[in-house]
Amino acid sequence: MNKPVVYSGIQPTGIITIGNYIGAITNWLKLSDEYDCIYGIADLHALTVRQVPAEYRQRAMSFFAQYLACGLDPRKNVLYFQSHVHEHAELSWILNCFTYIGEMQRMTQFKDKSQKHQDNINIGLLDYPVLMAADILLYQTSLVPVGADQKQHLEITRDIAIRFNNLYSPTFTVPEAYIPKQGARVFSLQDPTAKMSKSDPDPNAAVSIIEDPDSIMRKFRRAVTDSDSVVRYDPELKPGVSNLMTIMSEMGGMSIEEIEKNYSDKGYAAFKSACAEAVIERLRPVRERYASLTTDKEYLAGIAKEGAVRASAIARRTMSKVKRKVGLVELK
Ligand code: TRP
């Protein structure tokens, strides 16, 4: 590998939303010329909360197929499952020995999740950021596209990398956050002041990229707006309408100004339907490719295998460097 590495992971929980699509995945499609891009299904991470095994396995495979359906080309990107590359768990152990308990206890996400899952505050939950650091550092990653909620995890990754590099000698590339040149933020359809979340318990809050058209239409019609009826972009005073305009613009290719011009006096009902239509049309090829991919389990398994092989080759190199630095005996 010679181009700078971009790495991102996604936990196979909840749904892949149009927010993920607009804010991340569409950008990724353009990155592979300039960067070596590696995208992992973070299936070890999501074990920190209880999963139903059969459902979990299926969802992980579904996420993988959805990445492919979005157009991420497995020849141009490394697409793989974290659990297929054992170096993640291995490096994470070694990095544990260079991370302080206090640092982990201070993580916002740890505090939130321990509140939410009080009956299962396991070590994995505390250790989550170290596994994420291992994901990133294994591949000598330069750039990590992260949302605001993952910034703190990237910071600790940098701290761990710098600490290790200083104790031994340069071993890990110290990663930076990748802020896409353009990337709209998409908010919940039910609470337009909150980010659209892939795991929102309210099914009307988020739209999946493989959702059926009727359901998409229904969710947009029910989207929370405000009590006047003018379609105007004003995120402060009209967050609901502005969010729908952003979605329509990103998915339908119209500018915000054009949307304003065409819909300002048409009323919310017509505007919401048009917005849903734009989403439905834009996602049509994703839905279709997904449907055909899921009928070809062998193809999917083959792509997963190839991804794991390519990821392992890189991970192994970093791992052997790390083992040597910390003084483990080499197996000849
Ligand atoms: N923790 C990330 C999230 O919940 C997912 C993730 C796992 C990740 N490993 C990663 C993101 C490595 C970026 C890089 O969103």
Side-chain angles (χ1 to χ4, degrees), residues 217-302:
M217 185 58 81
R218 220 174 314 119
K219 287 186 184 177
F220 275 93
R221 286 203 177 124
R222 278 182 201 162
V224 168
T225 43
D226 51 53
S227 52
D228 75 31
S229 65
V230 186
V231 174
R232 178 166 54 81
Y233 189 78
D234 184 342
E236 287 285 308
L237 295 174
K238 297 167 77 70
V241 168
S242 304
N243 183 40
L244 296 181
M245 293 174 82
T246 302
I247 294 172
M248 184 170 184
S249 167
E250 292 288 326
M251 299 298 265
M254 251 192 270
S255 69
I256 296 288
E257 294 73 32
E258 284 173 294
I259 296 170
E260 220 160 56
K261 211 155 57 201
N262 292 340
Y263 293 96
S264 63
D265 55 354
K266 298 281 194 319
Y268 286 170
F271 166 62
K272 284 174 168 179
S273 297
C275 185
E277 275 309 329
V279 172
I280 290 167
E281 274 317 305
R282 173 66 179 272
L283 292 176
R284 184 180 302 283
V286 177
R287 265 193 315 276
E288 290 175 355
R289 254 175 293 172
Y290 177 75
S292 96
L293 280 167
T294 49
T295 63
D296 199 346
K297 300 268 184 304
E298 253 168 65
Y299 172 77
L300 283 177

Coordinates of all heavy atoms in Angstrom, one line a residue, residues 217-302:
M217 N -42.2 6.7 2.2 CA -43.2 7.7 2.0 C -44.0 8.0 3.3 O -44.1 9.2 3.7 CB -44.2 7.3 0.9 CG -45.3 8.3 0.5 SD -44.6 9.9 -0.1 CE -44.2 9.5 -1.8
R218 N -44.3 7.0 4.0 CA -45.1 7.1 5.3 C -44.2 7.9 6.3 O -44.7 8.8 6.9 CB -45.4 5.7 5.8 CG -46.8 5.7 6.4 CD -47.2 4.3 6.9 NE -46.9 3.2 5.9 CZ -46.1 2.2 6.1 NH1 -45.4 2.1 7.2 NH2 -45.9 1.3 5.2
K219 N -42.9 7.6 6.4 CA -42.1 8.3 7.4 C -41.9 9.7 7.0 O -41.9 10.6 7.9 CB -40.7 7.6 7.5 CG -40.8 6.2 8.2 CD -39.5 5.6 8.4 CE -39.6 4.2 9.0 NZ -38.3 3.6 9.2
F220 N -41.8 10.1 5.8 CA -41.6 11.5 5.4 C -42.9 12.3 5.6 O -42.9 13.4 6.1 CB -41.1 11.6 4.0 CG -39.6 11.5 3.9 CD1 -39.0 10.3 3.6 CD2 -38.8 12.7 4.1 CE1 -37.6 10.2 3.6 CE2 -37.5 12.6 4.1 CZ -36.9 11.3 3.9
R221 N -44.1 11.6 5.3 CA -45.3 12.3 5.6 C -45.5 12.6 7.1 O -46.2 13.6 7.4 CB -46.5 11.4 5.1 CG -46.6 11.4 3.6 CD -48.0 11.1 3.1 NE -48.1 11.1 1.7 CZ -48.5 10.1 0.9 NH1 -48.9 9.0 1.4 NH2 -48.6 10.3 -0.4
R222 N -45.0 11.7 7.9 CA -45.1 11.9 9.3 C -44.0 12.8 10.0 O -44.0 13.0 11.2 CB -45.1 10.6 10.0 CG -46.4 9.8 10.0 CD -46.3 8.5 10.7 NE -47.3 7.7 10.3 CZ -47.3 6.4 10.5 NH1 -46.3 5.8 11.1 NH2 -48.3 5.6 10.1
A223 N -43.1 13.2 9.1 CA -41.9 13.9 9.7 C -42.4 15.2 10.4 O -43.3 15.9 10.0 CB -41.0 14.3 8.5
V224 N -41.7 15.4 11.5 CA -42.1 16.6 12.4 C -41.6 17.9 11.7 O -40.4 18.0 11.3 CB -41.4 16.5 13.8 CG1 -41.5 17.8 14.5 CG2 -42.1 15.4 14.5
T225 N -42.5 18.8 11.5 CA -42.1 20.1 10.9 C -42.5 21.2 11.9 O -42.2 21.1 13.0 CB -42.7 20.3 9.5 OG1 -44.1 19.9 9.5 CG2 -42.0 19.5 8.5
D226 N -43.2 22.3 11.4 CA -43.6 23.3 12.3 C -45.0 23.8 12.0 O -45.6 23.2 11.1 CB -42.6 24.5 12.3 CG -42.3 24.9 10.8 OD1 -43.3 25.2 10.1 OD2 -41.1 24.9 10.4
S227 N -45.5 24.8 12.6 CA -46.9 25.1 12.5 C -47.2 26.1 11.4 O -48.4 26.3 11.0 CB -47.5 25.6 13.8 OG -46.6 26.7 14.2
D228 N -46.2 26.7 10.7 CA -46.6 27.5 9.5 C -46.5 26.6 8.3 O -46.4 25.3 8.5 CB -45.9 28.8 9.4 CG -44.5 28.8 9.0 OD1 -44.1 27.9 8.2 OD2 -43.7 29.7 9.4
S229 N -46.5 27.1 7.1 CA -46.6 26.2 6.0 C -45.7 26.6 4.8 O -45.8 26.1 3.7 CB -48.1 26.2 5.5 OG -48.4 27.5 5.0
V230 N -44.7 27.5 5.2 CA -43.8 28.0 4.1 C -42.6 27.1 4.1 O -41.9 26.9 5.1 CB -43.4 29.4 4.3 CG1 -42.6 30.0 3.2 CG2 -44.7 30.3 4.6
V231 N -42.2 26.6 2.9 CA -41.0 25.8 2.8 C -39.8 26.8 2.6 O -39.7 27.4 1.5 CB -41.1 24.9 1.6 CG1 -39.7 24.2 1.3 CG2 -42.2 23.8 1.8
R232 N -39.1 27.0 3.7 CA -38.0 28.0 3.7 C -36.8 27.4 4.5 O -37.1 26.8 5.5 CB -38.5 29.3 4.3 CG -37.5 30.4 4.4 CD -38.1 31.7 4.7 NE -39.0 31.7 5.9 CZ -38.5 31.8 7.1 NH1 -37.3 31.9 7.4 NH2 -39.4 31.7 8.2
Y233 N -35.6 27.6 4.0 CA -34.5 27.1 4.7 C -34.1 28.0 5.9 O -33.6 29.1 5.6 CB -33.3 26.9 3.8 CG -32.1 26.1 4.4 CD1 -32.2 24.7 4.5 CD2 -31.0 26.7 4.8 CE1 -31.2 24.0 5.1 CE2 -30.0 26.0 5.4 CZ -30.1 24.7 5.5 OH -29.0 24.0 6.1
D234 N -34.3 27.5 7.1 CA -33.9 28.2 8.3 C -33.7 27.3 9.4 O -34.6 27.0 10.2 CB -35.1 29.2 8.6 CG -34.8 30.1 9.7 OD1 -33.9 29.8 10.5 OD2 -35.5 31.1 9.9
P235 N -32.5 26.7 9.5 CA -32.2 25.7 10.5 C -32.5 26.1 11.9 O -32.9 25.2 12.7 CB -30.7 25.4 10.3 CG -30.4 25.9 9.0 CD -31.3 27.1 8.7
E236 N -32.4 27.4 12.2 CA -32.7 27.9 13.6 C -34.2 27.8 13.9 O -34.6 27.2 14.9 CB -32.3 29.3 13.7 CG -30.8 29.5 13.8 CD -30.2 29.1 15.2 OE1 -30.7 29.5 16.2 OE2 -29.3 28.2 15.2
L237 N -35.0 28.4 13.0 CA -36.4 28.6 13.3 C -37.3 27.4 12.7 O -38.4 27.2 13.2 CB -36.9 29.9 12.8 CG -36.4 31.2 13.5 CD1 -36.8 32.4 12.8 CD2 -36.7 31.2 14.9
K238 N -36.8 26.8 11.7 CA -37.5 25.7 11.0 C -36.6 24.5 10.8 O -36.3 24.1 9.7 CB -38.1 26.2 9.7 CG -39.1 27.4 9.8 CD -39.3 28.1 8.4 CE -40.2 27.3 7.6 NZ -41.6 27.2 8.0
P239 N -36.2 23.9 11.9 CA -35.2 22.8 11.8 C -35.8 21.6 11.0 O -35.1 20.9 10.3 CB -34.9 22.4 13.2 CG -36.0 22.9 14.1 CD -36.5 24.2 13.3
G240 N -37.1 21.3 11.2 CA -37.7 20.1 10.6 C -37.7 20.3 9.1 O -37.2 19.4 8.3
V241 N -38.3 21.4 8.6 CA -38.3 21.7 7.2 C -36.9 21.8 6.6 O -36.7 21.2 5.5 CB -39.1 23.0 6.9 CG1 -39.0 23.5 5.5 CG2 -40.6 22.8 7.3
S242 N -36.0 22.4 7.3 CA -34.7 22.6 6.8 C -34.0 21.2 6.6 O -33.3 21.0 5.6 CB -33.8 23.5 7.7 OG -34.5 24.7 7.8
N243 N -34.2 20.3 7.6 CA -33.7 19.0 7.5 C -34.2 18.3 6.2 O -33.4 17.6 5.5 CB -34.0 18.2 8.7 CG -33.4 16.9 8.8 OD1 -32.2 16.7 8.4 ND2 -34.1 15.9 9.3
L244 N -35.5 18.4 6.0 CA -36.1 17.7 4.8 C -35.5 18.3 3.6 O -35.2 17.6 2.6 CB -37.6 17.8 4.9 CG -38.3 17.2 6.0 CD1 -39.8 17.3 5.9 CD2 -38.0 15.7 6.1
M245 N -35.3 19.6 3.6 CA -34.7 20.3 2.4 C -33.3 19.8 2.1 O -32.9 19.5 1.0 CB -34.7 21.8 2.5 CG -36.1 22.4 2.6 SD -36.1 24.2 2.9 CE -35.7 24.8 1.3
T246 N -32.5 19.6 3.2 CA -31.2 19.1 3.1 C -31.2 17.7 2.4 O -30.5 17.4 1.5 CB -30.5 19.0 4.4 OG1 -30.4 20.3 5.0 CG2 -29.1 18.4 4.3
I247 N -32.1 16.9 3.0 CA -32.2 15.5 2.5 C -32.6 15.5 1.0 O -32.0 14.8 0.2 CB -33.2 14.7 3.3 CG1 -32.7 14.5 4.8 CG2 -33.5 13.3 2.7 CD1 -33.8 13.9 5.7
M248 N -33.6 16.3 0.7 CA -34.1 16.3 -0.7 C -33.0 16.8 -1.6 O -32.8 16.3 -2.7 CB -35.3 17.3 -0.8 CG -35.9 17.3 -2.2 SD -37.5 18.2 -2.1 CE -38.1 17.9 -3.7
S249 N -32.2 17.8 -1.2 CA -31.2 18.4 -2.0 C -30.1 17.3 -2.2 O -29.6 17.1 -3.3 CB -30.6 19.6 -1.3 OG -29.4 20.0 -1.9
E250 N -29.7 16.7 -1.1 CA -28.6 15.7 -1.2 C -29.0 14.5 -2.1 O -28.2 13.9 -2.8 CB -28.2 15.2 0.2 CG -27.5 16.2 1.0 CD -26.1 16.6 0.5 OE1 -25.4 15.6 0.0 OE2 -25.7 17.7 0.6
M251 N -30.2 14.1 -1.9 CA -30.7 12.8 -2.6 C -31.2 13.1 -4.0 O -31.2 12.2 -4.9 CB -31.8 12.1 -1.7 CG -31.3 11.7 -0.4 SD -29.9 10.5 -0.4 CE -30.9 8.9 -0.3
G252 N -31.8 14.3 -4.2 CA -32.4 14.6 -5.5 C -31.5 15.5 -6.4 O -31.9 15.6 -7.6
G253 N -30.5 16.0 -5.9 CA -29.6 16.8 -6.7 C -30.0 18.2 -7.0 O -29.4 18.9 -7.8
M254 N -31.1 18.7 -6.3 CA -31.5 20.1 -6.5 C -30.8 20.9 -5.4 O -30.6 20.4 -4.3 CB -33.0 20.1 -6.2 CG -33.9 20.4 -7.5 SD -35.5 20.8 -6.9 CE -36.3 19.2 -6.9
S255 N -30.6 22.2 -5.7 CA -30.0 23.0 -4.7 C -31.1 23.5 -3.7 O -32.3 23.4 -4.0 CB -29.4 24.3 -5.3 OG -30.4 25.1 -5.8
I256 N -30.7 23.9 -2.5 CA -31.6 24.4 -1.5 C -32.5 25.5 -2.1 O -33.7 25.6 -1.9 CB -30.9 24.9 -0.3 CG1 -30.1 23.7 0.4 CG2 -31.8 25.6 0.7 CD1 -31.0 22.7 1.1
E257 N -31.8 26.4 -2.9 CA -32.5 27.6 -3.5 C -33.6 27.1 -4.5 O -34.7 27.6 -4.5 CB -31.5 28.5 -4.3 CG -30.5 29.2 -3.4 CD -29.4 28.3 -2.9 OE1 -29.1 27.3 -3.6 OE2 -29.0 28.5 -1.7
E258 N -33.3 26.1 -5.3 CA -34.2 25.6 -6.2 C -35.4 25.0 -5.5 O -36.6 25.1 -5.9 CB -33.6 24.5 -7.1 CG -32.7 25.0 -8.2 CD -32.0 23.8 -8.9 OE1 -31.2 23.2 -8.3 OE2 -32.3 23.6 -10.1
I259 N -35.2 24.2 -4.4 CA -36.2 23.6 -3.7 C -37.2 24.7 -3.1 O -38.4 24.6 -3.2 CB -35.7 22.7 -2.5 CG1 -34.9 21.5 -3.1 CG2 -36.8 22.2 -1.6 CD1 -34.1 20.7 -2.1
E260 N -36.5 25.7 -2.5 CA -37.3 26.9 -2.0 C -38.2 27.5 -3.1 O -39.3 27.7 -2.8 CB -36.3 27.9 -1.4 CG -36.7 28.5 -0.1 CD -35.6 29.2 0.6 OE1 -34.9 30.0 0.0 OE2 -35.3 28.8 1.7
K261 N -37.6 27.7 -4.2 CA -38.3 28.3 -5.3 C -39.5 27.5 -5.7 O -40.6 27.9 -5.9 CB -37.4 28.5 -6.5 CG -37.8 29.8 -7.3 CD -36.8 30.5 -8.1 CE -36.0 29.7 -9.1 NZ -34.9 29.9 -9.7
N262 N -39.3 26.1 -5.9 CA -40.3 25.3 -6.4 C -41.4 24.9 -5.3 O -42.5 24.6 -5.7 CB -39.7 23.9 -6.8 CG -38.9 24.1 -8.1 OD1 -39.1 25.1 -8.8 ND2 -38.0 23.2 -8.3
Y263 N -41.1 24.9 -4.0 CA -42.0 24.4 -3.1 C -42.5 25.4 -2.0 O -43.3 25.1 -1.2 CB -41.4 23.2 -2.4 CG -41.3 22.0 -3.3 CD1 -40.1 21.8 -3.9 CD2 -42.4 21.2 -3.6 CE1 -39.9 20.7 -4.9 CE2 -42.2 20.2 -4.5 CZ -41.0 19.9 -5.1 OH -40.9 18.9 -6.0
S264 N -41.9 26.6 -2.0 CA -42.2 27.6 -0.9 C -43.7 27.7 -0.6 O -44.1 27.7 0.5 CB -41.6 28.9 -1.1 OG -42.1 29.5 -2.3
D265 N -44.5 27.7 -1.7 CA -46.0 28.0 -1.4 C -46.8 26.8 -1.8 O -48.0 26.9 -1.9 CB -46.4 29.2 -2.3 CG -46.1 29.0 -3.8 OD1 -45.4 27.9 -4.1 OD2 -46.5 29.8 -4.6
K266 N -46.2 25.6 -1.8 CA -47.0 24.4 -2.2 C -47.6 23.7 -1.0 O -48.3 22.7 -1.1 CB -46.1 23.4 -3.0 CG -45.5 23.9 -4.3 CD -46.6 23.9 -5.4 CE -46.0 24.0 -6.8 NZ -44.9 25.1 -7.0
G267 N -47.2 24.1 0.2 CA -47.7 23.4 1.4 C -46.7 22.2 1.8 O -46.0 21.7 0.9
Y268 N -46.8 21.9 3.0 CA -45.9 20.8 3.5 C -46.2 19.4 2.9 O -45.3 18.6 2.7 CB -45.9 20.8 5.0 CG -45.2 21.9 5.7 CD1 -45.3 22.1 7.1 CD2 -44.4 22.8 5.0 CE1 -44.7 23.1 7.7 CE2 -43.7 23.8 5.6 CZ -43.9 24.0 7.0 OH -43.2 25.0 7.6
A269 N -47.5 19.1 2.7 CA -47.9 17.8 2.3 C -47.2 17.5 1.0 O -46.6 16.4 0.8 CB -49.4 17.6 2.2
A270 N -47.3 18.4 0.0 CA -46.7 18.2 -1.3 C -45.2 18.1 -1.2 O -44.6 17.3 -1.9 CB -47.2 19.3 -2.3
F271 N -44.7 19.0 -0.4 CA -43.2 19.1 -0.3 C -42.7 17.8 0.3 O -41.7 17.2 -0.2 CB -42.8 20.3 0.6 CG -41.4 20.2 1.1 CD1 -40.3 20.2 0.2 CD2 -41.2 20.2 2.5 CE1 -39.0 20.2 0.7 CE2 -39.9 20.1 3.0 CZ -38.8 20.1 2.1
K272 N -43.4 17.3 1.4 CA -42.9 16.0 2.0 C -43.0 14.8 1.0 O -42.0 14.0 1.0 CB -43.8 15.7 3.2 CG -43.4 16.6 4.4 CD -44.4 16.3 5.5 CE -44.0 16.9 6.9 NZ -45.0 16.6 7.9
S273 N -44.0 14.8 0.2 CA -44.1 13.7 -0.7 C -43.0 13.8 -1.8 O -42.4 12.8 -2.1 CB -45.5 13.7 -1.5 OG -46.5 13.6 -0.6
A274 N -42.7 15.0 -2.2 CA -41.7 15.2 -3.2 C -40.3 14.8 -2.6 O -39.5 14.2 -3.3 CB -41.6 16.6 -3.7
C275 N -40.1 15.1 -1.4 CA -38.9 14.7 -0.7 C -38.8 13.2 -0.6 O -37.7 12.7 -0.9 CB -39.0 15.4 0.7 SG -37.5 15.2 1.6
A276 N -39.8 12.6 -0.2 CA -39.8 11.1 -0.2 C -39.5 10.5 -1.5 O -38.8 9.6 -1.6 CB -41.2 10.6 0.4
E277 N -40.2 11.1 -2.6 CA -39.9 10.6 -3.9 C -38.4 10.7 -4.3 O -37.9 9.7 -4.9 CB -40.7 11.4 -4.9 CG -42.2 11.0 -5.2 CD -42.3 9.5 -5.4 OE1 -41.4 8.9 -6.1 OE2 -43.3 8.9 -5.0
A278 N -37.8 11.8 -4.0 CA -36.4 11.9 -4.3 C -35.6 10.8 -3.6 O -34.7 10.3 -4.2 CB -35.9 13.3 -3.8
V279 N -35.9 10.5 -2.4 CA -35.2 9.5 -1.6 C -35.4 8.1 -2.2 O -34.5 7.4 -2.4 CB -35.6 9.5 -0.1 CG1 -35.0 8.4 0.7 CG2 -35.2 10.9 0.5
I280 N -36.7 7.9 -2.5 CA -37.1 6.6 -3.1 C -36.3 6.3 -4.4 O -35.7 5.3 -4.6 CB -38.6 6.5 -3.3 CG1 -39.3 6.4 -1.9 CG2 -39.0 5.3 -4.2 CD1 -40.8 6.7 -2.0
E281 N -36.3 7.3 -5.2 CA -35.7 7.2 -6.6 C -34.1 7.0 -6.4 O -33.5 6.2 -7.0 CB -35.9 8.4 -7.4 CG -37.2 8.3 -8.2 CD -37.4 7.0 -8.8 OE1 -36.5 6.5 -9.6 OE2 -38.5 6.3 -8.6
R282 N -33.6 7.8 -5.6 CA -32.1 7.8 -5.4 C -31.7 6.4 -4.9 O -30.6 5.9 -5.2 CB -31.7 8.9 -4.5 CG -30.2 8.8 -4.1 CD -29.3 9.1 -5.3 NE -27.9 9.0 -4.8 CZ -27.2 10.1 -4.4 NH1 -27.8 11.3 -4.4 NH2 -26.0 10.0 -4.0
L283 N -32.5 5.8 -4.0 CA -32.1 4.6 -3.4 C -32.5 3.3 -4.2 O -32.2 2.2 -3.9 CB -32.7 4.4 -2.0 CG -32.1 5.4 -0.9 CD1 -32.9 5.3 0.4 CD2 -30.6 5.2 -0.7
R284 N -33.3 3.6 -5.3 CA -33.7 2.5 -6.1 C -32.6 1.5 -6.5 O -32.7 0.3 -6.2 CB -34.5 3.0 -7.4 CG -35.1 1.8 -8.2 CD -35.8 2.4 -9.4 NE -36.9 3.3 -9.1 CZ -38.1 3.0 -8.6 NH1 -38.4 1.7 -8.4 NH2 -38.9 3.9 -8.3
P285 N -31.5 2.0 -7.1 CA -30.4 1.0 -7.4 C -29.8 0.3 -6.2 O -29.4 -0.9 -6.3 CB -29.4 1.9 -8.2 CG -29.8 3.3 -7.9 CD -31.2 3.3 -7.5
V286 N -29.8 1.0 -5.1 CA -29.2 0.4 -3.9 C -30.1 -0.8 -3.5 O -29.7 -1.9 -3.2 CB -29.1 1.4 -2.7 CG1 -28.6 0.7 -1.5 CG2 -28.2 2.6 -3.1
R287 N -31.4 -0.5 -3.4 CA -32.4 -1.5 -3.1 C -32.3 -2.7 -4.0 O -32.3 -3.9 -3.6 CB -33.8 -1.0 -3.2 CG -34.4 -0.4 -1.9 CD -35.9 -0.2 -2.0 NE -36.4 0.5 -3.3 CZ -36.4 1.8 -3.5 NH1 -35.9 2.6 -2.6 NH2 -36.8 2.3 -4.6
E288 N -32.2 -2.4 -5.3 CA -32.2 -3.5 -6.3 C -30.9 -4.4 -6.2 O -31.0 -5.6 -6.2 CB -32.4 -3.0 -7.7 CG -33.8 -2.4 -7.9 CD -34.1 -1.7 -9.2 OE1 -33.1 -1.6 -10.0 OE2 -35.2 -1.4 -9.5
R289 N -29.8 -3.7 -6.1 CA -28.5 -4.4 -6.0 C -28.5 -5.2 -4.7 O -28.1 -6.4 -4.6 CB -27.4 -3.4 -6.0 CG -26.6 -3.5 -7.3 CD -25.5 -2.4 -7.3 NE -26.1 -1.1 -7.3 CZ -25.4 0.1 -7.1 NH1 -24.1 0.1 -6.9 NH2 -26.0 1.2 -7.2
Y290 N -29.1 -4.6 -3.6 CA -29.1 -5.4 -2.3 C -29.9 -6.6 -2.5 O -29.5 -7.7 -2.0 CB -29.7 -4.4 -1.2 CG -29.8 -5.2 0.1 CD1 -28.7 -5.4 0.9 CD2 -31.0 -5.6 0.6 CE1 -28.8 -6.1 2.1 CE2 -31.2 -6.3 1.8 CZ -30.0 -6.5 2.5 OH -30.2 -7.2 3.7
A291 N -31.1 -6.5 -3.1 CA -32.0 -7.6 -3.2 C -31.3 -8.8 -4.0 O -31.3 -9.9 -3.7 CB -33.3 -7.2 -4.0
S292 N -30.5 -8.4 -5.1 CA -29.9 -9.4 -5.8 C -28.7 -10.0 -5.1 O -28.4 -11.2 -5.2 CB -29.6 -8.9 -7.3 OG -28.3 -8.5 -7.4
L293 N -27.9 -9.1 -4.4 CA -26.8 -9.6 -3.6 C -27.2 -10.7 -2.6 O -26.5 -11.7 -2.3 CB -26.1 -8.5 -2.9 CG -25.1 -7.6 -3.7 CD1 -24.8 -6.3 -3.0 CD2 -23.9 -8.4 -4.1
T294 N -28.3 -10.4 -1.9 CA -28.7 -11.3 -0.8 C -29.2 -12.7 -1.3 O -29.3 -13.6 -0.5 CB -29.8 -10.7 0.1 OG1 -30.8 -10.2 -0.7 CG2 -29.2 -9.6 0.9
T295 N -29.4 -12.8 -2.6 CA -29.7 -14.1 -3.1 C -28.5 -14.9 -3.4 O -28.5 -16.1 -3.8 CB -30.6 -14.0 -4.4 OG1 -29.8 -13.4 -5.4 CG2 -31.9 -13.3 -4.2
D296 N -27.3 -14.2 -3.4 CA -26.1 -14.9 -3.8 C -25.1 -14.9 -2.6 O -24.1 -14.2 -2.5 CB -25.4 -14.1 -5.0 CG -24.4 -15.0 -5.7 OD1 -24.0 -16.0 -5.2 OD2 -24.0 -14.6 -6.8
K297 N -25.4 -15.8 -1.7 CA -24.7 -16.0 -0.5 C -23.2 -16.3 -0.7 O -22.3 -15.9 0.0 CB -25.3 -17.1 0.4 CG -26.7 -16.8 0.8 CD -26.8 -16.0 2.1 CE -28.2 -15.8 2.7 NZ -29.1 -15.1 1.7
E298 N -23.0 -17.1 -1.8 CA -21.6 -17.6 -2.1 C -20.7 -16.4 -2.5 O -19.6 -16.3 -2.1 CB -21.6 -18.6 -3.1 CG -21.3 -20.0 -2.6 CD -21.6 -21.1 -3.5 OE1 -20.9 -21.2 -4.6 OE2 -22.5 -21.9 -3.3
Y299 N -21.3 -15.5 -3.3 CA -20.6 -14.4 -3.8 C -20.2 -13.5 -2.6 O -19.1 -13.1 -2.5 CB -21.5 -13.6 -4.8 CG -20.8 -12.3 -5.2 CD1 -19.8 -12.2 -6.1 CD2 -21.3 -11.1 -4.6 CE1 -19.2 -11.0 -6.4 CE2 -20.7 -9.8 -4.9 CZ -19.7 -9.8 -5.8 OH -19.1 -8.6 -6.2
L300 N -21.2 -13.3 -1.7 CA -20.9 -12.4 -0.5 C -19.8 -13.1 0.3 O -18.9 -12.4 0.8 CB -22.2 -12.3 0.3 CG -23.3 -11.3 -0.2 CD1 -24.5 -11.3 0.7 CD2 -22.7 -9.9 -0.3
A301 N -19.9 -14.4 0.5 CA -18.9 -15.0 1.3 C -17.5 -14.9 0.7 O -16.5 -14.7 1.4 CB -19.3 -16.5 1.5
G302 N -17.5 -15.0 -0.7 CA -16.2 -14.9 -1.4 C -15.6 -13.5 -1.2 O -14.4 -13.4 -1.0

